[in-house]
Amino acid sequence: MSLLITGGTGYIGSHTVVELLQLTDGNIEQDIVIVDNLSNSSTKVLERITQITDKTVTFIEADIRDESALERIFTQHTIEAVIHFAGLKAVGESNEIPLAYYDNNVSGTVTLLQVMKKHQVKKLVFSSSATVYGDNESPLHEGMTTSATNPYGQTKLMVENILFDVAKSDADWSIACLRYFNPIGAHQSGLIGESPNGIPNNLLPYVSQVAVGRLKELQVFGDDYNTIDGTGVRDYIHVIDLALGHVKALQNLEAIKGCKAINLGTGNGTSVLEIVNNFSEISGVSIPYKVVPRRAGDLATVYADASLANELLAWKTQYSITDMIADTWRWQSKNPNGYN
Ligand code: NAD
Ligand code: UFG
């Protein structure tokens, strides 16, 4: 039996693959097949995964929109379940090239679902996002109404709705829609981590590239929010905790009848300046920053009510903000240019 991981060479996918390969409880014993078009990742990740785990995976370079490529994968391997990470994820870029987002994220997922259905594979873990909560007030819980303010968010919401419909149409499906908060950090080995192309959009990759001298200074988007120090507050979650959330979701898929949305966050918020100060302290490098106006579309405070994941999956986060920053710094300082 095999597990198919779409987008498995990406940031969250690669960390999840490592955790799956290192499972010792024998609960999941499948071979791992990764499909990725390498649009935002590198095959170097595969060598690093083997270096960490001493195990290999099957890698197929293909696009999830390519139905015949997926058809070949499902014919050549006995796929039991799919973890679906593949997609585009930059909010700003999604406003500039919305069709590419709808095509990759929505059409790509529909193609994947069609091939899964054809091959009677009806177990899926999907990468959703806290962005589907729109401007609801935190703590955000799964019962809240959903909405989107940009094409990226729309794609996550559309896919969630498609998955709910698919599960309603056929009781054999078990689908976990995992709503991630803000994943940061890296594997403790420093061998895999986040390696964004171009100028990073997210806070942590930006701060760490300032710390290694690739970028001059951080722009802090607003210090006049109603928060502890006026800067934006987010629920940062260690990528390893997030990866372990996928393992738990997979192990509990049988119990999830239909489609279930589940938050993966810590339930705690940290401000931009708290991140900057912690990063300087842990790395010993000062992070120059300048406060600039608010970024359009940003909310003051976003954090999870993480109780459902705890109840349903027996999952709880283990790592602190200090761990997240220390691991980010280890990865970035050992690999100042990421995988390049
Ligand atoms: P990533 O860009 O590092 O990984 C995504 C992977 O998918 C990349 O390796 C990319 O090459 C691949 N890919 C993209 N389009 C593809 C296609 N059409 N066919 C095949 N492969 C394709 O991103 P990530 O941070 O690891 O995110 C993984 C998933 O989690 C995405 O769906 C993203 O939207 C979602 N998510 C991420 C965050 C975050 O902050 N990182 C937050 C919420 C949700
Ligand atoms: N920030 C800065 N300067 C930067 C980058 C970010 O001050 O250069 C601030 C933002 O204003 C915000 C905080 O840092 O207050 C976090 O911003 P990120 O861009 O890292 O993360 P967001 O919370 O805006 O969004 C991220 C993903 C979305 C996902 C969401 C889920 O980018 O795709 O988390 O909660 F939907």
Side-chain angles (χ1 to χ4, degrees), residues 6-206:
T6 77
T9 45
Y11 172 47
I12 304 169
S14 57
H15 288 81
T16 303
V17 167
V18 164
E19 295 307 315
L20 287 165
L21 290 172
Q22 288 186 325
L23 275 183
T24 50
D25 64 4
N27 214 333
I28 296 174
E29 284 175 356
Q30 294 103 327
D31 291 330
I32 289 182
V33 178
I34 292 178
V35 57
D36 199 300
N37 67 0
L38 301 175
S39 59
N40 197 36
S41 54
S42 148
T43 51
K44 283 199 187 120
V45 174
L46 299 167
E47 296 157 25
R48 301 283 180 93
I49 289 174
T50 298
Q51 227 177 311
I52 295 169
T53 63
D54 221 13
K55 292 184 179 162
T56 53
V57 297
T58 302
F59 175 69
I60 296 153
E61 183 177 347
D63 195 297
I64 56 159
R65 293 165 295 177
D66 181 347
E67 191 175 344
S68 49
L70 290 186
E71 191 53 49
R72 272 195 301 280
I73 295 171
F74 279 78
T75 305
Q76 286 166 5
H77 302 268
T78 311
I79 306 291
E80 212 206 346
V82 178
I83 307 186
H84 178 31
F85 295 102
L88 304 178
K89 62 165 183 178
V91 172
E93 182 186 65
S94 79
N95 287 311
E96 289 150 29
I97 48 168
L99 290 177
Y101 275 70
Y102 290 112
D103 189 27
N104 271 273
N105 297 6
V106 183
S107 304
T109 303
V110 171
T111 304
L112 173 67
L113 291 167
Q114 278 165 336
V115 178
M116 285 177 70
K117 184 172 154 58
K118 184 169 168 204
H119 290 264
Q120 296 293 315
V121 180
K122 295 181 179 175
K123 287 188 192 159
L124 176 71
V125 177
F126 171 63
S127 297
S128 189
S129 164
T131 192
V132 301
Y133 288 112
D135 57 7
N136 274 302
E137 202 167 311
S138 292
L140 300 167
H141 66 80
E142 293 84 351
M144 285 174 156
T145 53
T146 49
S147 64
T149 52
N150 55 69
Y152 168 71
Q154 291 287 4
T155 67
K156 291 292 169 191
L157 203 50
M158 286 167 117
V159 170
E160 280 204 1
N161 288 329
I162 291 168
L163 295 176
F164 284 118
D165 285 344
V166 165
K168 228 186 288 168
S169 73
D170 174 351
D172 289 344
W173 283 88
S174 293
I175 304 174
C177 262
L178 303 180
R179 294 179 175 165
Y180 310 160
F181 282 70
N182 292 57
I184 62 169
H187 191 264
Q188 287 86 350
S189 62
L191 287 167
I192 56 172
E194 190 168 11
S195 179
N197 286 332
I199 308 279
N201 302 298
N202 297 115
L203 181 64
L204 256 290
Y206 205 107

Side-chain angles (χ1 to χ4, degrees), residues 276-323:
V276 170
N277 293 334
N278 263 318
F279 204 105
S280 294
E281 207 171 294
I282 289 164
S283 64
V285 179
S286 89
I287 312 289
Y289 70 85
K290 162 168 97 195
V291 177
V292 300
R294 293 177 179 194
R295 183 170 66 179
D298 272 356
L299 297 173
T301 301
V302 180
Y303 63 93
D305 172 337
S307 51
L308 185 66
N310 188 215
E311 280 162 35
L312 220 56
L313 310 177
W315 171 87
K316 259 216 301 250
T317 57
Q318 308 171 30
Y319 297 106
S320 67
I321 278 285
T322 306
D323 299 325

Side-chain angles (χ1 to χ4, degrees), residues 195-224:
S195 179
N197 286 332
I199 308 279
N201 302 298
N202 297 115
L203 181 64
L204 256 290
Y206 205 107
V207 168
S208 47
Q209 290 194 16
V210 170
V212 290
R214 278 173 69 182
L215 295 168
K216 206 168 115 269
E217 69 177 2
L218 171 72
Q219 297 192 321
V220 174
F221 298 141
D223 65 352
D224 56 353

